[in-house]
Amino acid sequence: MNFAIKPVMLWTDALVFALIAAIALFVWYTNRHEHLRAPWRKVMRSTSGMMAATVLFAYVLVGVLDTLHYQRALPLEKQTAEMHYSPEVLSALDALAEPLRLRQERTFSAPFAAYAHSKETMQGPDGATMRDYPRLKFGGAHLKDPAAERPADIARGVLQGVALASLLWMLVSAVLTGIVASDRGASFAQTSGALWRGELDIPWRAVLLTLGALLIVAGPLVVLSGRYHVFGTDKVGQDVLYLTLKSIRTGLVIGTVTTLVMLPFALVLGIMAGYLKGWVDDLIQYIYTTLSSIPSVLLIAAAVLMIQVYMDTRPEIFDSVTRRADFRLLFLCMILGVTSWTGLCRLLRGEALKLRELEYVQAAQAFGVRRWKIMARHILPNVFHLVIITTVLGFSGLVLAEAVLSYVGVGVDPAMNSFGTMINSARLELAREPVVWWLLAAAFAFMFLLVLSANLFADAVRDALDPRVRAQVARPVFHSRRAGSRA
Amino acid sequence: MLRYVIRRVLYAIPILIGVNLLTFALFFVVNTPDDMARMQLGVKRVTPEAIENWKRDRGYDKPLVLNSAATGFAKVTDTIFWNHSARLFVLDFGKAESDGRDIRHQIATRMGPSLAIALPVFLVGMATYITFALLMALLRATYLDFSGVVLCVAAMSISSMFYIIGGQYLVSKLWNLVPISGFAGDLSAWRFMILPVAVGLLGGFGESSRWYRTIFLEEINRDYVRTARAKGLPEGRVLIHHVLRNALIPILTGAVVAIPTLFLGSLVTESFFGIPGLGSYTIDAISSQDFTVVRSMVFLGSILYIVGLILTDISYTIVDPRIRFE
């Protein structure tokens, strides 16, 4: 067996890493400037915001793991031959969840089931044909008599998971308390007491409780996912937990990379229009009015249809399914960006129009500072809070939009796991008897938690960064009615 | 006023030209008609003759913008741009690629069902959300208000598809109250309409109620409200006579612009419930890769959106006497 691997950088991976680098830079810069730190301190004092951030952190962790892609080396045939790599692109998450990925059943099975979901014709032990529920290849395969042993086995797994989770949680709590204690210069016991009485500035108690809740749920799932399909399996027998975990990255990429792609345009054009005025303003206004007057679903549909034709007639460009799906995801982010930058651009223009009349900008003008320098040094830093608010507010809308677009058929590649493709494949199965509910339930739970925490976190950020803007920042995409795009 | 409207309509023309050029570029320059033909006929094993035939049948065999072989006006008019893009301005959408039916006729017949769902959702929705938001504003800073906001945030975190799927499963499949999908052309259509309308109402509930609440709360801190309270008006009267009236301006910005686009219907709702409206028409066009229909819908959507913008500006003058367009 050959364990050599070759790291693979897909397009969206590169953008995700660029985004992480940008955030790191931003944090570093903000940390050094007191006036920039103040609003973020307010975010950190918000209980709901910090709880949401904890949940989001868990999602991001899964997403980042799923972004570290590599190809595995194929077994060497001759010692002299050069290394060949499997065309299959895997990620660190795949490696961690390898049992989930590989233990594929034949078709549907319910969560924690030991038997398939529907009857099949089989050969009985005596050679006669009969119809019964066949045993699963992997789910509950370690049990001799599932009917009798399964409840106890599951209970044991849950206990083990909870025990593991508690241990981990206590460890994290201790480390965190230690850090906070050394930060405050107080003793560990004192800090711990203050923390659990909720007397600290930052609601660490809420963070730890959220983390505890997450771990308590995750622990048993992790333990039991080794023996059962905890969320069941889908039509082709894939583990639904695995599908859901893989969908997280897609949602996160759509929610963040879209903003990254559209940001330069919105920033440059919005500030230019507001600061320079005149024909530049007219032209930029014309561009964004034209773009925003096309209902976004339709523009996205048209663009994605066109790129589909482009990709289908040029199969030679994309050498593997993963690359193809990745390119389509990137393109979807780009076109979503095009439809959503207009709102931010308009907002930035308005703010720049206001700022250019302020004394400090006029002083800069009087000193003869160049126009582009005024825009970069004096306007940009003062509109940046709008960028952050729009970005954070837009995230949840984009995650929801992905599901709708994938249903319409202009979303991500069908080969790519996403909440949209999951819902789409599951909705027809509701007509089955007995009903296949676990696909939808899993997609619902994971998506709801993600979008809910994103919404709560966005609220905290918005309240802290600019109470004036409030809900006036239109959600860039699929702001269902107000954007005129009825999704 | 009339002058202002005329000016606004004239402003719309360059924007529509922009939309037209953009869709033209998207549909004919990014991919050549050859690519589209290959796509429609199947990528592999397609003869050049088949492609030529496909293009000739649909008039795609002409030059893009300038026909140098023709003379006089035909230089411009005998081109793909003229026949397929410029004609959209006179609402001549042409024929669908997939089934050859007249698109304008389809749009005219499908607007009705779309409107039958979208209009009740819009009207009842506005009334419900505003009432709920006013209630939250009345009870502001109490636990009831807080739970209302929590409810809204939770509701807006659920994808609209789950409302549809859940509604269909519970109401139609388990309880057997109304048909799961379909539509009727006569008055008996109400049985098909109830569920999509209810689901539409639920889907917009969280976001809109919360948005209206924010607007109300912004108004509630103004000086004129304090004056109204100071002169002894009861809180309910303050809310309805003063706050609601002044909050109507931002509410209208969001609402009026949506009225013309109601004709387009909702893609997902219509396709889930099998309503023969423009939304499901678009979805079908997307899945059968009917570029002509998609292009027509893009253009129609833009027209309706621009009409909505003009209506919004006009409605301002009606609700806010301070605004005059001279």
Side-chain angles (χ1 to χ4, degrees):
Chain A
M1 191 65 195
N2 187 347
F3 287 107
I5 56 167
K6 177 173 80 173
V8 175
M9 182 80 91
L10 300 172
W11 277 104
T12 51
D13 296 351
L15 285 169
V16 168
F17 292 131
L19 189 73
I20 294 174
I23 292 174
L25 197 73
F26 178 76
V27 169
W28 175 77
Y29 185 81
T30 307
N31 217 1
R32 290 163 48 109
H33 295 77
E34 180 51 36
H35 68 286
L36 296 177
R37 257 166 68 180
W40 289 101
R41 210 174 284 137
K42 205 172 158 191
V43 175
M44 290 189 75
R45 287 201 195 108
S46 140
T47 310
S48 63
M50 284 302 274
M51 288 167 80
T54 314
V55 177
L56 285 179
F57 179 76
Y59 275 94
V60 170
L61 200 66
V62 175
V64 170
L65 277 180
D66 202 10
T67 298
L68 304 167
H69 283 111
Y70 66 90
Q71 282 173 324
R72 226 172 244 173
L74 291 174
L76 284 179
E77 281 160 17
K78 283 182 224 125
Q79 279 307 328
T80 50
E82 80 181 280
M83 290 276 258
H84 286 284
Y85 293 93
S86 148
E88 192 182 23
V89 178
L90 296 171
S91 74
L93 180 75
D94 291 323
L96 284 177
E98 183 144 299
L100 290 183
R101 183 167 63 91
L102 296 179
R103 297 184 320 153
Q104 195 166 348
E105 307 291 346
R106 269 216 303 283
T107 179
F108 289 114
S109 68
F112 295 107
Y115 293 98
H117 184 58
S118 47
K119 285 188 178 175
E120 278 175 32
T121 309
M122 303 182 291
Q123 292 267 310
D126 51 349
T129 54
M130 55 177 206
R131 280 188 69 76
D132 201 359
Y133 300 103
R135 275 296 288 269
L136 294 179
K137 256 189 292 180
F138 301 101
H142 60 295
L143 305 174
K144 279 209 185 72
D145 177 19
E149 298 168 32
R150 207 173 54 137
D153 188 57
I154 292 176
R156 212 162 38 238
V158 170
L159 278 180
Q160 281 171 353
V162 170
L164 266 177
S166 318
L167 267 178
L168 190 61
W169 182 75
M170 280 192 269
L171 192 73
V172 174
S173 305
V175 170
L176 186 78
T177 317
I179 293 175
V180 175
S182 75
D183 220 37
R184 281 165 34 113
S187 78
F188 188 88
Q190 251 181 351
T191 313
S192 172
L195 192 153
W196 287 107
R197 282 192 301 273
E199 286 166 2
L200 294 184
D201 262 2
I202 297 169
W204 288 120
R205 180 173 60 171
V207 170
L208 285 179
L209 287 178
T210 314
L211 190 69
L214 283 180
L215 285 174
I216 289 277
V217 177
L221 285 183
V222 170
V223 171
L224 284 168
S225 67
R227 306 177 216 160
Y228 297 95
H229 299 287
V230 281
F231 288 171
T233 55
D234 75 346
K235 191 167 191 167
V236 291
Q238 273 192 304
D239 192 283
V240 173
L241 176 62
Y242 175 72
L243 293 181
T244 338
L245 288 178
K246 292 291 279 182
S247 302
I248 290 173
R249 176 181 183 267
T250 314
L252 292 179
V253 165
I254 296 231
T256 53
V257 171
T258 299
T259 318
L260 190 72
V261 173
M262 68 128 171
L263 210 53
F265 298 100
L267 267 177
V268 171
L269 293 181
I271 292 177
M272 268 173 66
Y275 184 73
L276 297 177
K277 299 223 277 197
W279 66 270
V280 182
D281 186 23
D282 289 339
L283 182 69
I284 294 171
Q285 274 200 66
Y286 173 70
I287 295 175
Y288 73 59
T289 317
T290 306
L291 273 178
S292 68
S293 68
I294 305 177
S296 35
V297 204
L298 292 174
L299 183 59
I300 294 167
V304 173
L305 273 185
M306 281 302 118
I307 204 68
Q308 221 167 312
V309 175
Y310 184 86
M311 282 163 60
D312 283 355
T313 45
R314 291 165 189 76
E316 66 281 357
I317 304 179
F318 308 101
D319 55 352
S320 72
V321 182
T322 319
R323 276 174 213 283
R324 200 188 135 88
D326 183 69
F327 180 77
R328 182 151 167 184
L329 178 66
L330 178 68
F331 183 78
L332 188 65
C333 288
M334 275 165 30
I335 188 67
L336 273 166
V338 168
T339 57
S340 59
W341 71 272
T342 53
L344 180 62
C345 193
R346 182 175 293 149
L347 213 65
L348 289 173
R349 172 182 169 272
E351 198 66 17
L353 270 178
K354 261 188 265 165
L355 288 177
R356 78 189 297 274
E357 305 300 334
L358 292 186
E359 284 89 350
Y360 71 92
V361 177
Q362 303 213 318
Q365 281 167 348
F367 280 129
V369 181
R370 284 168 185 278
R371 289 192 296 188
W372 62 266
K373 210 165 176 184
I374 294 182
M375 285 191 262
R377 297 279 312 262
H378 298 292
I379 308 275
L380 177 66
N382 288 299
V383 296
F384 210 75
H385 65 279
L386 289 176
V387 173
I388 297 171
I389 295 173
T390 321
T391 310
V392 181
L393 276 183
F395 177 85
S396 56
L398 288 167
V399 176
L400 291 176
E402 186 274 326
V404 170
L405 290 177
S406 293
Y407 169 74
V408 175
V410 293
V412 296
D413 195 271
M416 177 161 257
N417 293 309
S418 81
F419 292 124
T421 43
M422 265 177 90
I423 299 171
N424 205 7
S425 67
R427 88 201 151 81
L428 292 173
E429 309 301 341
L430 276 182
R432 269 172 186 265
E433 241 8 285
V435 62
V436 173
W437 50 269
W438 47 89
L439 265 166
L440 275 176
F444 173 80
F446 274 71
M447 212 174 153
F448 177 67
L449 195 61
L450 174 62
V451 176
L452 183 67
S453 358
N455 276 332
L456 290 174
F457 184 68
D459 283 351
V461 170
R462 189 185 54 198
D463 289 347
L465 260 69
D466 196 342
R468 275 176 310 135
V469 180
R470 235 164 266 151
Q472 286 166 21
V473 183
R475 293 238 206 141
V477 193
F478 284 61
H479 192 266
S480 39
R481 274 231 307 281
R482 276 177 290 282
S485 58
R486 298 180 53 81
Chain B
M1 183 72 191
L2 184 68
R3 235 202 198 147
Y4 175 77
V5 174
I6 292 174
R7 213 169 63 219
R8 281 303 313 256
V9 173
L10 289 181
Y11 277 149
I13 293 175
I15 293 174
L16 282 177
I17 293 179
V19 172
N20 196 295
L21 290 177
L22 186 78
T23 45
F24 178 74
L26 200 59
F27 280 90
F28 292 108
V29 182
V30 174
N31 293 291
T32 59
D34 282 44
D35 291 333
M36 283 192 274
R38 227 168 279 143
M39 184 79 189
Q40 289 273 330
L41 301 168
V43 180
K44 283 167 195 155
R45 285 196 217 96
V46 50
T47 58
E49 292 84 58
I51 291 181
E52 283 309 314
N53 280 334
W54 188 88
K55 278 161 61 186
R56 198 168 43 248
D57 287 347
R58 288 159 182 77
Y60 289 155
D61 54 343
K62 292 172 185 147
L64 277 183
V65 273
L66 202 66
N67 192 347
S68 46
T71 50
F73 275 129
K75 257 189 166 53
V76 185
T77 55
D78 201 22
T79 57
I80 292 184
F81 176 72
W82 187 265
N83 286 323
H84 287 93
S85 233
R87 281 198 182 175
L88 294 176
F89 279 108
V90 289
L91 299 185
D92 179 1
F93 297 116
K95 288 182 168 41
E97 265 156 38
S98 46
D99 54 8
R101 282 198 248 175
D102 186 43
I103 298 176
R104 186 160 44 176
H105 178 73
Q106 288 283 318
I107 289 176
T109 49
R110 280 165 177 270
M111 269 187 173
S114 279
L115 215 53
I117 305 294
L119 200 61
V121 173
F122 177 75
L123 292 177
V124 181
M126 284 284 283
T128 333
Y129 308 151
I130 288 182
T131 317
F132 190 75
L134 266 180
L135 264 177
M136 284 197 285
L138 183 69
L139 301 166
R140 63 190 171 278
T142 63
Y143 274 104
L144 278 174
D145 172 41
F146 179 71
S147 11
V149 175
V150 170
L151 188 70
C152 287
V153 176
M156 64 194 258
S157 303
I158 298 175
S159 168
S160 56
M161 324 235 322
F162 286 115
Y163 287 112
I164 300 176
I165 297 172
Q168 279 188 330
Y169 183 71
L170 280 182
V171 180
S172 300
K173 192 159 177 244
L174 281 190
W175 303 337
N176 250 324
L177 293 179
V178 290
I180 207 158
S181 69
F183 198 73
D186 50 15
L187 280 177
S188 64
W190 67 268
R191 282 174 50 249
F192 296 102
M193 280 165 52
I194 288 180
L195 189 58
V197 170
V199 165
L201 285 176
L202 259 181
F205 165 76
E207 198 157 349
S208 301
S209 304
R210 204 171 84 125
W211 158 264
Y212 293 152
R213 175 184 171 272
T214 322
I215 295 175
F216 289 142
L217 289 187
E218 244 160 47
E219 289 295 321
I220 250 169
N221 295 320
R222 297 276 164 91
D223 287 342
Y224 70 86
V225 179
R226 199 175 310 137
T227 314
R229 289 208 196 97
K231 70 184 188 193
L233 285 187
E235 186 68 17
R237 218 178 137 79
V238 173
L239 274 182
I240 290 169
H241 273 251
H242 295 267
V243 175
L244 178 60
R245 263 183 87 168
N246 284 287
L248 269 182
I249 300 167
I251 292 179
L252 274 178
T253 340
V256 176
V257 80
I259 295 177
T261 49
L262 292 179
F263 286 99
L264 289 180
S266 155
L267 299 189
V268 178
T269 312
E270 286 187 12
S271 110
F272 265 101
F273 288 103
I275 290 154
L278 284 179
S280 53
Y281 189 48
T282 314
I283 290 238
D284 293 345
I286 291 171
S287 52
S288 64
Q289 304 196 314
D290 192 322
F291 306 109
T292 313
V293 174
V294 175
R295 209 168 53 231
S296 310
M297 294 307 292
V298 168
F299 197 69
L300 183 70
S302 311
I303 294 178
L304 292 174
Y305 181 74
I306 290 169
V307 171
L309 286 183
I310 298 175
L311 286 182
T312 310
D313 284 345
I314 296 173
S315 66
Y316 276 155
T317 56
I318 298 169
V319 288
D320 190 350
R322 286 171 302 184
I323 298 177
R324 284 272 169 274
F325 297 107
E326 296 307 337

